[in-house]
Amino acid sequence: QVTLVESGGGLVQAGGALRLSCAASGRTFSRFAMAWFRQAPGKEREFVAAITWSSSTYYASSVKGRFTISTDNAKNTVYLQMNSLKPEDTAVYYCAADKAYSSAYDEYDYWGQGTQVTVSS
């Protein structure tokens, strides 16, 4: 069992930055693939970024070059640094974990509660 708790969301102006954190507890964090997804009102949950236990990273095309995913294994925490934010980045952001990387949300067994990110124009 893995418990995930996100933090760091908030309201920011377009062009600004936020850093989301996801603290994990439970099973061996370092052997999991960790991912961020987001869901805007009326839309499906979509892949944002992921990092594997071997530190390979993956990004959605819409965020590549603006967002960076990283981990601190000593703190069992995964981060999402979001720069150059746009109004279309507004969504609830969710942290997810599973044994293998996937960009499909239904492949992940463990989820956090989500944190709201709102980008004003």
PDB file of all heavy atoms in Angstrom, residues 34-71:
ATOM      1  N   MET A  34       6.538   7.281 -10.714  1.00  0.00           N
ATOM      2  CA  MET A  34       5.694   8.328 -10.162  1.00  0.00           C
ATOM      3  C   MET A  34       5.246   9.243 -11.289  1.00  0.00           C
ATOM      4  O   MET A  34       6.026   9.551 -12.194  1.00  0.00           O
ATOM      5  CB  MET A  34       6.462   9.146  -9.120  1.00  0.00           C
ATOM      6  CG  MET A  34       7.038   8.338  -7.984  1.00  0.00           C
ATOM      7  SD  MET A  34       5.763   7.560  -6.982  1.00  0.00           S
ATOM      8  CE  MET A  34       4.916   8.992  -6.332  1.00  0.00           C
ATOM      9  N   ALA A  35       4.009   9.683 -11.204  1.00  0.00           N
ATOM     10  CA  ALA A  35       3.469  10.499 -12.291  1.00  0.00           C
ATOM     11  C   ALA A  35       2.580  11.603 -11.759  1.00  0.00           C
ATOM     12  O   ALA A  35       2.077  11.526 -10.632  1.00  0.00           O
ATOM     13  CB  ALA A  35       2.680   9.625 -13.258  1.00  0.00           C
ATOM     14  N   TRP A  36       2.408  12.600 -12.576  1.00  0.00           N
ATOM     15  CA  TRP A  36       1.434  13.661 -12.337  1.00  0.00           C
ATOM     16  C   TRP A  36       0.411  13.634 -13.472  1.00  0.00           C
ATOM     17  O   TRP A  36       0.773  13.549 -14.644  1.00  0.00           O
ATOM     18  CB  TRP A  36       2.098  15.026 -12.287  1.00  0.00           C
ATOM     19  CG  TRP A  36       2.932  15.256 -11.069  1.00  0.00           C
ATOM     20  CD1 TRP A  36       4.271  15.054 -10.932  1.00  0.00           C
ATOM     21  CD2 TRP A  36       2.468  15.736  -9.792  1.00  0.00           C
ATOM     22  NE1 TRP A  36       4.684  15.373  -9.661  1.00  0.00           N
ATOM     23  CE2 TRP A  36       3.593  15.810  -8.940  1.00  0.00           C
ATOM     24  CE3 TRP A  36       1.225  16.127  -9.288  1.00  0.00           C
ATOM     25  CZ2 TRP A  36       3.507  16.236  -7.616  1.00  0.00           C
ATOM     26  CZ3 TRP A  36       1.133  16.551  -7.981  1.00  0.00           C
ATOM     27  CH2 TRP A  36       2.269  16.608  -7.156  1.00  0.00           C
ATOM     28  N   PHE A  37      -0.847  13.712 -13.080  1.00  0.00           N
ATOM     29  CA  PHE A  37      -1.947  13.863 -14.006  1.00  0.00           C
ATOM     30  C   PHE A  37      -2.708  15.114 -13.622  1.00  0.00           C
ATOM     31  O   PHE A  37      -2.545  15.644 -12.522  1.00  0.00           O
ATOM     32  CB  PHE A  37      -2.885  12.652 -13.937  1.00  0.00           C
ATOM     33  CG  PHE A  37      -2.314  11.399 -14.546  1.00  0.00           C
ATOM     34  CD1 PHE A  37      -1.398  10.631 -13.849  1.00  0.00           C
ATOM     35  CD2 PHE A  37      -2.695  10.991 -15.818  1.00  0.00           C
ATOM     36  CE1 PHE A  37      -0.854   9.485 -14.402  1.00  0.00           C
ATOM     37  CE2 PHE A  37      -2.164   9.832 -16.382  1.00  0.00           C
ATOM     38  CZ  PHE A  37      -1.244   9.085 -15.677  1.00  0.00           C
ATOM     39  N   ARG A  38      -3.557  15.582 -14.513  1.00  0.00           N
ATOM     40  CA  ARG A  38      -4.408  16.724 -14.174  1.00  0.00           C
ATOM     41  C   ARG A  38      -5.776  16.533 -14.804  1.00  0.00           C
ATOM     42  O   ARG A  38      -5.935  15.834 -15.807  1.00  0.00           O
ATOM     43  CB  ARG A  38      -3.780  18.031 -14.628  1.00  0.00           C
ATOM     44  CG  ARG A  38      -3.643  18.189 -16.137  1.00  0.00           C
ATOM     45  CD  ARG A  38      -2.862  19.447 -16.468  1.00  0.00           C
ATOM     46  NE  ARG A  38      -2.759  19.668 -17.916  1.00  0.00           N
ATOM     47  CZ  ARG A  38      -2.017  20.617 -18.467  1.00  0.00           C
ATOM     48  NH1 ARG A  38      -1.307  21.464 -17.703  1.00  0.00           N
ATOM     49  NH2 ARG A  38      -1.965  20.743 -19.780  1.00  0.00           N
ATOM     50  N   GLN A  39      -6.740  17.181 -14.175  1.00  0.00           N
ATOM     51  CA  GLN A  39      -8.108  17.099 -14.687  1.00  0.00           C
ATOM     52  C   GLN A  39      -8.773  18.451 -14.544  1.00  0.00           C
ATOM     53  O   GLN A  39      -8.916  18.971 -13.430  1.00  0.00           O
ATOM     54  CB  GLN A  39      -8.905  16.031 -13.936  1.00  0.00           C
ATOM     55  CG  GLN A  39     -10.254  15.751 -14.538  1.00  0.00           C
ATOM     56  CD  GLN A  39     -10.868  14.472 -14.007  1.00  0.00           C
ATOM     57  OE1 GLN A  39     -10.496  13.958 -12.960  1.00  0.00           O
ATOM     58  NE2 GLN A  39     -11.832  13.940 -14.741  1.00  0.00           N
ATOM     59  N   ALA A  40      -9.159  19.008 -15.678  1.00  0.00           N
ATOM     60  CA  ALA A  40      -9.889  20.267 -15.707  1.00  0.00           C
ATOM     61  C   ALA A  40     -11.386  19.971 -15.700  1.00  0.00           C
ATOM     62  O   ALA A  40     -11.809  18.878 -16.100  1.00  0.00           O
ATOM     63  CB  ALA A  40      -9.506  21.064 -16.955  1.00  0.00           C
ATOM     64  N   PRO A  41     -12.206  20.920 -15.277  1.00  0.00           N
ATOM     65  CA  PRO A  41     -13.660  20.693 -15.231  1.00  0.00           C
ATOM     66  C   PRO A  41     -14.206  20.267 -16.595  1.00  0.00           C
ATOM     67  O   PRO A  41     -13.897  20.894 -17.616  1.00  0.00           O
ATOM     68  CB  PRO A  41     -14.215  22.047 -14.809  1.00  0.00           C
ATOM     69  CG  PRO A  41     -13.107  22.680 -14.043  1.00  0.00           C
ATOM     70  CD  PRO A  41     -11.854  22.234 -14.722  1.00  0.00           C
ATOM     71  N   GLY A  42     -14.962  19.197 -16.594  1.00  0.00           N
ATOM     72  CA  GLY A  42     -15.577  18.721 -17.822  1.00  0.00           C
ATOM     73  C   GLY A  42     -14.656  17.983 -18.760  1.00  0.00           C
ATOM     74  O   GLY A  42     -15.062  17.619 -19.876  1.00  0.00           O
ATOM     75  N   LYS A  43     -13.419  17.759 -18.334  1.00  0.00           N
ATOM     76  CA  LYS A  43     -12.454  17.064 -19.194  1.00  0.00           C
ATOM     77  C   LYS A  43     -11.961  15.792 -18.533  1.00  0.00           C
ATOM     78  O   LYS A  43     -12.074  15.619 -17.320  1.00  0.00           O
ATOM     79  CB  LYS A  43     -11.276  17.981 -19.503  1.00  0.00           C
ATOM     80  CG  LYS A  43     -11.647  19.187 -20.345  1.00  0.00           C
ATOM     81  CD  LYS A  43     -10.399  19.938 -20.786  1.00  0.00           C
ATOM     82  CE  LYS A  43     -10.743  21.096 -21.701  1.00  0.00           C
ATOM     83  NZ  LYS A  43      -9.530  21.822 -22.163  1.00  0.00           N
ATOM     84  N   GLU A  44     -11.400  14.909 -19.344  1.00  0.00           N
ATOM     85  CA  GLU A  44     -10.830  13.688 -18.807  1.00  0.00           C
ATOM     86  C   GLU A  44      -9.500  13.977 -18.120  1.00  0.00           C
ATOM     87  O   GLU A  44      -8.822  14.961 -18.410  1.00  0.00           O
ATOM     88  CB  GLU A  44     -10.612  12.671 -19.940  1.00  0.00           C
ATOM     89  CG  GLU A  44     -11.879  11.994 -20.408  1.00  0.00           C
ATOM     90  CD  GLU A  44     -11.599  10.682 -21.100  1.00  0.00           C
ATOM     91  OE1 GLU A  44     -10.429  10.344 -21.310  1.00  0.00           O
ATOM     92  OE2 GLU A  44     -12.573   9.993 -21.436  1.00  0.00           O
ATOM     93  N   ARG A  45      -9.158  13.068 -17.212  1.00  0.00           N
ATOM     94  CA  ARG A  45      -7.851  13.171 -16.562  1.00  0.00           C
ATOM     95  C   ARG A  45      -6.759  12.922 -17.611  1.00  0.00           C
ATOM     96  O   ARG A  45      -6.844  11.960 -18.390  1.00  0.00           O
ATOM     97  CB  ARG A  45      -7.756  12.159 -15.429  1.00  0.00           C
ATOM     98  CG  ARG A  45      -6.591  12.359 -14.506  1.00  0.00           C
ATOM     99  CD  ARG A  45      -6.743  11.534 -13.232  1.00  0.00           C
ATOM    100  NE  ARG A  45      -7.934  11.930 -12.478  1.00  0.00           N
ATOM    101  CZ  ARG A  45      -8.169  11.520 -11.228  1.00  0.00           C
ATOM    102  NH1 ARG A  45      -7.302  10.732 -10.608  1.00  0.00           N
ATOM    103  NH2 ARG A  45      -9.267  11.897 -10.619  1.00  0.00           N
ATOM    104  N   GLU A  46      -5.757  13.792 -17.619  1.00  0.00           N
ATOM    105  CA  GLU A  46      -4.709  13.668 -18.633  1.00  0.00           C
ATOM    106  C   GLU A  46      -3.330  13.601 -18.012  1.00  0.00           C
ATOM    107  O   GLU A  46      -3.064  14.168 -16.950  1.00  0.00           O
ATOM    108  CB  GLU A  46      -4.771  14.838 -19.628  1.00  0.00           C
ATOM    109  CG  GLU A  46      -4.459  16.189 -19.053  1.00  0.00           C
ATOM    110  CD  GLU A  46      -4.372  17.278 -20.124  1.00  0.00           C
ATOM    111  OE1 GLU A  46      -4.556  16.988 -21.319  1.00  0.00           O
ATOM    112  OE2 GLU A  46      -4.100  18.435 -19.735  1.00  0.00           O
ATOM    113  N   PHE A  47      -2.472  12.896 -18.711  1.00  0.00           N
ATOM    114  CA  PHE A  47      -1.091  12.724 -18.298  1.00  0.00           C
ATOM    115  C   PHE A  47      -0.343  14.042 -18.401  1.00  0.00           C
ATOM    116  O   PHE A  47      -0.501  14.791 -19.376  1.00  0.00           O
ATOM    117  CB  PHE A  47      -0.431  11.670 -19.188  1.00  0.00           C
ATOM    118  CG  PHE A  47       1.047  11.526 -18.991  1.00  0.00           C
ATOM    119  CD1 PHE A  47       1.546  10.859 -17.892  1.00  0.00           C
ATOM    120  CD2 PHE A  47       1.933  12.066 -19.916  1.00  0.00           C
ATOM    121  CE1 PHE A  47       2.911  10.723 -17.712  1.00  0.00           C
ATOM    122  CE2 PHE A  47       3.304  11.936 -19.748  1.00  0.00           C
ATOM    123  CZ  PHE A  47       3.794  11.266 -18.638  1.00  0.00           C
ATOM    124  N   VAL A  48       0.504  14.312 -17.398  1.00  0.00           N
ATOM    125  CA  VAL A  48       1.336  15.509 -17.413  1.00  0.00           C
ATOM    126  C   VAL A  48       2.813  15.136 -17.494  1.00  0.00           C
ATOM    127  O   VAL A  48       3.530  15.570 -18.391  1.00  0.00           O
ATOM    128  CB  VAL A  48       1.079  16.375 -16.164  1.00  0.00           C
ATOM    129  CG1 VAL A  48       2.030  17.564 -16.135  1.00  0.00           C
ATOM    130  CG2 VAL A  48      -0.377  16.841 -16.118  1.00  0.00           C
ATOM    131  N   ALA A  49       3.266  14.322 -16.535  1.00  0.00           N
ATOM    132  CA  ALA A  49       4.687  13.971 -16.491  1.00  0.00           C
ATOM    133  C   ALA A  49       4.860  12.727 -15.636  1.00  0.00           C
ATOM    134  O   ALA A  49       4.006  12.416 -14.802  1.00  0.00           O
ATOM    135  CB  ALA A  49       5.516  15.115 -15.914  1.00  0.00           C
ATOM    136  N   ALA A  50       5.972  12.033 -15.851  1.00  0.00           N
ATOM    137  CA  ALA A  50       6.279  10.851 -15.059  1.00  0.00           C
ATOM    138  C   ALA A  50       7.785  10.691 -14.937  1.00  0.00           C
ATOM    139  O   ALA A  50       8.547  11.174 -15.784  1.00  0.00           O
ATOM    140  CB  ALA A  50       5.675   9.593 -15.679  1.00  0.00           C
ATOM    141  N   ILE A  51       8.178   9.993 -13.883  1.00  0.00           N
ATOM    142  CA  ILE A  51       9.586   9.669 -13.673  1.00  0.00           C
ATOM    143  C   ILE A  51       9.661   8.235 -13.170  1.00  0.00           C
ATOM    144  O   ILE A  51       8.892   7.830 -12.306  1.00  0.00           O
ATOM    145  CB  ILE A  51      10.250  10.666 -12.690  1.00  0.00           C
ATOM    146  CG1 ILE A  51      11.749  10.410 -12.589  1.00  0.00           C
ATOM    147  CG2 ILE A  51       9.571  10.651 -11.331  1.00  0.00           C
ATOM    148  CD1 ILE A  51      12.504  11.551 -11.899  1.00  0.00           C
ATOM    149  N   THR A  52      10.572   7.462 -13.744  1.00  0.00           N
ATOM    150  CA  THR A  52      10.718   6.072 -13.338  1.00  0.00           C
ATOM    151  C   THR A  52      11.749   5.945 -12.224  1.00  0.00           C
ATOM    152  O   THR A  52      12.462   6.898 -11.905  1.00  0.00           O
ATOM    153  CB  THR A  52      11.156   5.206 -14.522  1.00  0.00           C
ATOM    154  OG1 THR A  52      12.503   5.575 -14.884  1.00  0.00           O
ATOM    155  CG2 THR A  52      10.232   5.416 -15.724  1.00  0.00           C
ATOM    156  N   TRP A  53      11.859   4.738 -11.697  1.00  0.00           N
ATOM    157  CA  TRP A  53      12.818   4.517 -10.609  1.00  0.00           C
ATOM    158  C   TRP A  53      14.256   4.657 -11.115  1.00  0.00           C
ATOM    159  O   TRP A  53      15.163   4.900 -10.335  1.00  0.00           O
ATOM    160  CB  TRP A  53      12.598   3.160  -9.963  1.00  0.00           C
ATOM    161  CG  TRP A  53      12.818   1.989 -10.861  1.00  0.00           C
ATOM    162  CD1 TRP A  53      11.907   1.356 -11.640  1.00  0.00           C
ATOM    163  CD2 TRP A  53      14.067   1.311 -11.093  1.00  0.00           C
ATOM    164  NE1 TRP A  53      12.492   0.327 -12.335  1.00  0.00           N
ATOM    165  CE2 TRP A  53      13.802   0.274 -12.020  1.00  0.00           C
ATOM    166  CE3 TRP A  53      15.367   1.461 -10.601  1.00  0.00           C
ATOM    167  CZ2 TRP A  53      14.797  -0.594 -12.459  1.00  0.00           C
ATOM    168  CZ3 TRP A  53      16.359   0.587 -11.031  1.00  0.00           C
ATOM    169  CH2 TRP A  53      16.062  -0.408 -11.963  1.00  0.00           C
ATOM    170  N   SER A  54      14.445   4.529 -12.441  1.00  0.00           N
ATOM    171  CA  SER A  54      15.773   4.725 -13.019  1.00  0.00           C
ATOM    172  C   SER A  54      15.990   6.163 -13.475  1.00  0.00           C
ATOM    173  O   SER A  54      16.972   6.467 -14.147  1.00  0.00           O
ATOM    174  CB  SER A  54      15.972   3.783 -14.205  1.00  0.00           C
ATOM    175  OG  SER A  54      15.027   4.049 -15.219  1.00  0.00           O
ATOM    176  N   SER A  55      15.054   7.046 -13.101  1.00  0.00           N
ATOM    177  CA  SER A  55      15.136   8.488 -13.375  1.00  0.00           C
ATOM    178  C   SER A  55      14.880   8.878 -14.824  1.00  0.00           C
ATOM    179  O   SER A  55      15.190  10.009 -15.222  1.00  0.00           O
ATOM    180  CB  SER A  55      16.481   9.072 -12.908  1.00  0.00           C
ATOM    181  OG  SER A  55      16.636   8.903 -11.521  1.00  0.00           O
ATOM    182  N   SER A  56      14.302   7.989 -15.606  1.00  0.00           N
ATOM    183  CA  SER A  56      13.825   8.407 -16.929  1.00  0.00           C
ATOM    184  C   SER A  56      12.593   9.278 -16.745  1.00  0.00           C
ATOM    185  O   SER A  56      11.763   9.000 -15.886  1.00  0.00           O
ATOM    186  CB  SER A  56      13.475   7.189 -17.774  1.00  0.00           C
ATOM    187  OG  SER A  56      14.603   6.400 -18.016  1.00  0.00           O
ATOM    188  N   THR A  57      12.498  10.320 -17.542  1.00  0.00           N
ATOM    189  CA  THR A  57      11.367  11.239 -17.418  1.00  0.00           C
ATOM    190  C   THR A  57      10.574  11.295 -18.716  1.00  0.00           C
ATOM    191  O   THR A  57      11.119  11.114 -19.812  1.00  0.00           O
ATOM    192  CB  THR A  57      11.834  12.658 -17.042  1.00  0.00           C
ATOM    193  OG1 THR A  57      12.772  13.112 -18.020  1.00  0.00           O
ATOM    194  CG2 THR A  57      12.476  12.676 -15.669  1.00  0.00           C
ATOM    195  N   TYR A  58       9.292  11.571 -18.557  1.00  0.00           N
ATOM    196  CA  TYR A  58       8.365  11.641 -19.684  1.00  0.00           C
ATOM    197  C   TYR A  58       7.439  12.835 -19.466  1.00  0.00           C
ATOM    198  O   TYR A  58       7.036  13.103 -18.330  1.00  0.00           O
ATOM    199  CB  TYR A  58       7.539  10.355 -19.783  1.00  0.00           C
ATOM    200  CG  TYR A  58       8.371   9.109 -19.905  1.00  0.00           C
ATOM    201  CD1 TYR A  58       8.848   8.452 -18.773  1.00  0.00           C
ATOM    202  CD2 TYR A  58       8.702   8.584 -21.153  1.00  0.00           C
ATOM    203  CE1 TYR A  58       9.626   7.313 -18.878  1.00  0.00           C
ATOM    204  CE2 TYR A  58       9.475   7.431 -21.265  1.00  0.00           C
ATOM    205  CZ  TYR A  58       9.939   6.818 -20.119  1.00  0.00           C
ATOM    206  OH  TYR A  58      10.718   5.682 -20.227  1.00  0.00           O
ATOM    207  N   TYR A  59       7.105  13.508 -20.546  1.00  0.00           N
ATOM    208  CA  TYR A  59       6.262  14.698 -20.449  1.00  0.00           C
ATOM    209  C   TYR A  59       5.209  14.702 -21.548  1.00  0.00           C
ATOM    210  O   TYR A  59       5.458  14.257 -22.669  1.00  0.00           O
ATOM    211  CB  TYR A  59       7.105  15.967 -20.580  1.00  0.00           C
ATOM    212  CG  TYR A  59       8.102  16.163 -19.462  1.00  0.00           C
ATOM    213  CD1 TYR A  59       9.407  15.731 -19.587  1.00  0.00           C
ATOM    214  CD2 TYR A  59       7.715  16.776 -18.268  1.00  0.00           C
ATOM    215  CE1 TYR A  59      10.317  15.901 -18.556  1.00  0.00           C
ATOM    216  CE2 TYR A  59       8.625  16.948 -17.222  1.00  0.00           C
ATOM    217  CZ  TYR A  59       9.927  16.507 -17.388  1.00  0.00           C
ATOM    218  OH  TYR A  59      10.819  16.682 -16.364  1.00  0.00           O
ATOM    219  N   ALA A  60       4.061  15.259 -21.219  1.00  0.00           N
ATOM    220  CA  ALA A  60       3.078  15.550 -22.248  1.00  0.00           C
ATOM    221  C   ALA A  60       3.620  16.680 -23.113  1.00  0.00           C
ATOM    222  O   ALA A  60       4.340  17.566 -22.633  1.00  0.00           O
ATOM    223  CB  ALA A  60       1.762  15.974 -21.612  1.00  0.00           C
ATOM    224  N   SER A  61       3.275  16.663 -24.371  1.00  0.00           N
ATOM    225  CA  SER A  61       3.787  17.682 -25.291  1.00  0.00           C
ATOM    226  C   SER A  61       3.370  19.085 -24.868  1.00  0.00           C
ATOM    227  O   SER A  61       4.080  20.059 -25.109  1.00  0.00           O
ATOM    228  CB  SER A  61       3.321  17.396 -26.716  1.00  0.00           C
ATOM    229  OG  SER A  61       1.913  17.338 -26.777  1.00  0.00           O
ATOM    230  N   SER A  62       2.213  19.182 -24.213  1.00  0.00           N
ATOM    231  CA  SER A  62       1.692  20.484 -23.826  1.00  0.00           C
ATOM    232  C   SER A  62       2.492  21.143 -22.708  1.00  0.00           C
ATOM    233  O   SER A  62       2.368  22.363 -22.496  1.00  0.00           O
ATOM    234  CB  SER A  62       0.225  20.366 -23.409  1.00  0.00           C
ATOM    235  OG  SER A  62       0.097  19.465 -22.326  1.00  0.00           O
ATOM    236  N   VAL A  63       3.293  20.364 -21.986  1.00  0.00           N
ATOM    237  CA  VAL A  63       4.042  20.924 -20.857  1.00  0.00           C
ATOM    238  C   VAL A  63       5.548  20.805 -21.032  1.00  0.00           C
ATOM    239  O   VAL A  63       6.312  21.374 -20.240  1.00  0.00           O
ATOM    240  CB  VAL A  63       3.638  20.270 -19.523  1.00  0.00           C
ATOM    241  CG1 VAL A  63       2.128  20.337 -19.326  1.00  0.00           C
ATOM    242  CG2 VAL A  63       4.129  18.834 -19.425  1.00  0.00           C
ATOM    243  N   LYS A  64       5.984  20.096 -22.052  1.00  0.00           N
ATOM    244  CA  LYS A  64       7.409  19.887 -22.248  1.00  0.00           C
ATOM    245  C   LYS A  64       8.122  21.215 -22.428  1.00  0.00           C
ATOM    246  O   LYS A  64       7.677  22.073 -23.189  1.00  0.00           O
ATOM    247  CB  LYS A  64       7.645  18.982 -23.462  1.00  0.00           C
ATOM    248  CG  LYS A  64       9.016  18.345 -23.494  1.00  0.00           C
ATOM    249  CD  LYS A  64       9.066  17.231 -24.512  1.00  0.00           C
ATOM    250  CE  LYS A  64      10.387  16.485 -24.427  1.00  0.00           C
ATOM    251  NZ  LYS A  64      10.453  15.344 -25.370  1.00  0.00           N
ATOM    252  N   GLY A  65       9.225  21.373 -21.696  1.00  0.00           N
ATOM    253  CA  GLY A  65       9.978  22.622 -21.744  1.00  0.00           C
ATOM    254  C   GLY A  65       9.540  23.626 -20.694  1.00  0.00           C
ATOM    255  O   GLY A  65      10.250  24.603 -20.440  1.00  0.00           O
ATOM    256  N   ARG A  66       8.371  23.390 -20.087  1.00  0.00           N
ATOM    257  CA  ARG A  66       7.874  24.297 -19.049  1.00  0.00           C
ATOM    258  C   ARG A  66       7.825  23.633 -17.681  1.00  0.00           C
ATOM    259  O   ARG A  66       8.034  24.292 -16.666  1.00  0.00           O
ATOM    260  CB  ARG A  66       6.466  24.803 -19.410  1.00  0.00           C
ATOM    261  CG  ARG A  66       6.396  25.570 -20.714  1.00  0.00           C
ATOM    262  CD  ARG A  66       5.005  26.201 -20.894  1.00  0.00           C
ATOM    263  NE  ARG A  66       3.951  25.202 -20.992  1.00  0.00           N
ATOM    264  CZ  ARG A  66       2.875  25.166 -20.195  1.00  0.00           C
ATOM    265  NH1 ARG A  66       2.739  26.064 -19.232  1.00  0.00           N
ATOM    266  NH2 ARG A  66       1.942  24.235 -20.355  1.00  0.00           N
ATOM    267  N   PHE A  67       7.529  22.350 -17.665  1.00  0.00           N
ATOM    268  CA  PHE A  67       7.399  21.610 -16.413  1.00  0.00           C
ATOM    269  C   PHE A  67       8.578  20.657 -16.257  1.00  0.00           C
ATOM    270  O   PHE A  67       9.098  20.123 -17.252  1.00  0.00           O
ATOM    271  CB  PHE A  67       6.114  20.774 -16.400  1.00  0.00           C
ATOM    272  CG  PHE A  67       4.837  21.556 -16.325  1.00  0.00           C
ATOM    273  CD1 PHE A  67       4.813  22.934 -16.479  1.00  0.00           C
ATOM    274  CD2 PHE A  67       3.634  20.905 -16.104  1.00  0.00           C
ATOM    275  CE1 PHE A  67       3.618  23.646 -16.420  1.00  0.00           C
ATOM    276  CE2 PHE A  67       2.441  21.588 -16.032  1.00  0.00           C
ATOM    277  CZ  PHE A  67       2.433  22.954 -16.201  1.00  0.00           C
ATOM    278  N   THR A  68       8.974  20.433 -14.997  1.00  0.00           N
ATOM    279  CA  THR A  68      10.050  19.492 -14.702  1.00  0.00           C
ATOM    280  C   THR A  68       9.644  18.601 -13.539  1.00  0.00           C
ATOM    281  O   THR A  68       9.235  19.108 -12.484  1.00  0.00           O
ATOM    282  CB  THR A  68      11.349  20.229 -14.344  1.00  0.00           C
ATOM    283  OG1 THR A  68      11.721  21.098 -15.422  1.00  0.00           O
ATOM    284  CG2 THR A  68      12.482  19.241 -14.095  1.00  0.00           C
ATOM    285  N   ILE A  69       9.751  17.301 -13.725  1.00  0.00           N
ATOM    286  CA  ILE A  69       9.455  16.342 -12.662  1.00  0.00           C
ATOM    287  C   ILE A  69      10.775  15.863 -12.071  1.00  0.00           C
ATOM    288  O   ILE A  69      11.756  15.646 -12.791  1.00  0.00           O
ATOM    289  CB  ILE A  69       8.606  15.166 -13.186  1.00  0.00           C
ATOM    290  CG1 ILE A  69       8.115  14.295 -12.028  1.00  0.00           C
ATOM    291  CG2 ILE A  69       9.357  14.352 -14.228  1.00  0.00           C
ATOM    292  CD1 ILE A  69       7.072  13.254 -12.428  1.00  0.00           C
ATOM    293  N   SER A  70      10.791  15.704 -10.756  1.00  0.00           N
ATOM    294  CA  SER A  70      11.991  15.234 -10.080  1.00  0.00           C
ATOM    295  C   SER A  70      11.603  14.529  -8.791  1.00  0.00           C
ATOM    296  O   SER A  70      10.456  14.638  -8.342  1.00  0.00           O
ATOM    297  CB  SER A  70      12.942  16.400  -9.781  1.00  0.00           C
ATOM    298  OG  SER A  70      12.319  17.327  -8.907  1.00  0.00           O
ATOM    299  N   THR A  71      12.546  13.799  -8.226  1.00  0.00           N
ATOM    300  CA  THR A  71      12.287  13.095  -6.977  1.00  0.00           C
ATOM    301  C   THR A  71      13.402  13.348  -5.980  1.00  0.00           C
ATOM    302  O   THR A  71      14.536  13.658  -6.344  1.00  0.00           O
ATOM    303  CB  THR A  71      12.161  11.578  -7.194  1.00  0.00           C
ATOM    304  OG1 THR A  71      13.366  11.095  -7.813  1.00  0.00           O
ATOM    305  CG2 THR A  71      10.977  11.231  -8.063  1.00  0.00           C
TER     306      THR A  71
END
